[in-house]
Amino acid sequence: MTVDIQIDRLTDCLVERETGNVVGTKYVERNTTITKKECRGWKFDWSTTQKNGYTVYELFVEGDDTVQGRISLTIDGGVADVDIVESAPHNYGHTGKFEGIGGHLFAIACQISFEAGCDGFVAFTAKTNLVEYYKRTLKAQIIKGNRMYLDEEAANILIDKYIRK
């Protein structure tokens, strides 16, 4: 898959667009198969990434069971390899309920990478037209073509912003 998520801005956790309030978050590993019904409105069929051996993590606002975004990844060859990253449909674009979803999802991947002993390294394949964008917003680097990675320094920036509080 190719990664196609907008990083609206790197925020201090998630920011509610309407009020500007910063909200606390949590993420959990999805231990059950995502159903077709749960994929309605989403751009991707999340059950496929699970069937392909990727683990899905879901992002929530504390005290709310509404999924704000998802990321799927697997640990492979000393790196967290990302398959899909997506904001929930109610967070799409500049009119979404929360800002910071994309950056937060990548921070989760970085955290999982550190926990797996991969020094925060995260690899992903970007849509070709987003390579420069990810270099600028996430400090991602090119492996080859549109294959990219986040190194330990970039990972720590994201984790400091979204997870270490």
Side-chain angles (χ1 to χ4, degrees), residues 144-163:
K144 183 178 181 184
N146 59 335
R147 187 75 175 147
M148 304 187 81
Y149 73 96
L150 301 175
D151 64 12
E152 184 175 0
E153 182 180 345
N156 276 311
I157 290 168
L158 290 172
I159 291 170
D160 285 346
K161 202 90 167 122
Y162 291 99
I163 297 175

Side-chain angles (χ1 to χ4, degrees), residues 15-18 64 68 90-93 95-99:
V15 175
E16 191 172 25
R17 282 186 201 275
E18 189 174 293
D64 186 347
Q68 301 301 327
H90 59 270
N91 286 317
Y92 288 162
T95 59
K97 184 171 182 176
F98 293 102
E99 289 182 282

Side-chain angles (χ1 to χ4, degrees), residues 30-102:
R30 177 68 184 248
N31 292 317
T32 59
T33 302
I34 297 171
T35 66
K36 297 283 185 192
K37 181 180 177 182
E38 290 174 293
C39 292
R40 285 194 193 124
W42 292 73
K43 295 176 184 175
F44 297 103
D45 178 350
W46 285 86
S47 64
T48 301
T49 194
Q50 288 178 307
K51 288 175 191 166
N52 290 336
Y54 289 85
T55 302
V56 173
Y57 295 87
E58 295 178 319
L59 177 64
F60 298 90
V61 169
E62 288 178 352
D64 186 347
D65 64 355
T66 304
V67 177
Q68 301 301 327
R70 292 181 177 138
I71 187 166
S72 68
L73 58 91
T74 190
I75 302 300
D76 184 26
V79 66
D81 185 39
V82 173
D83 186 39
I84 303 174
V85 184
E86 185 177 4
S87 293
H90 59 270
N91 286 317
Y92 288 162
H94 296 293
T95 59
K97 184 171 182 176
F98 293 102
E99 289 182 282
I101 301 289

Side-chain angles (χ1 to χ4, degrees), residues 110-111 113-114 118-122 138-139 141 149-160 164:
C110 295
Q111 181 68 30
S113 171
F114 274 116
C118 300
D119 297 327
F121 281 80
V122 174
L138 297 175
K139 308 230 181 296
Q141 299 178 51
Y149 73 96
L150 301 175
D151 64 12
E152 184 175 0
E153 182 180 345
N156 276 311
I157 290 168
L158 290 172
I159 291 170
D160 285 346
R164 291 182 194 133

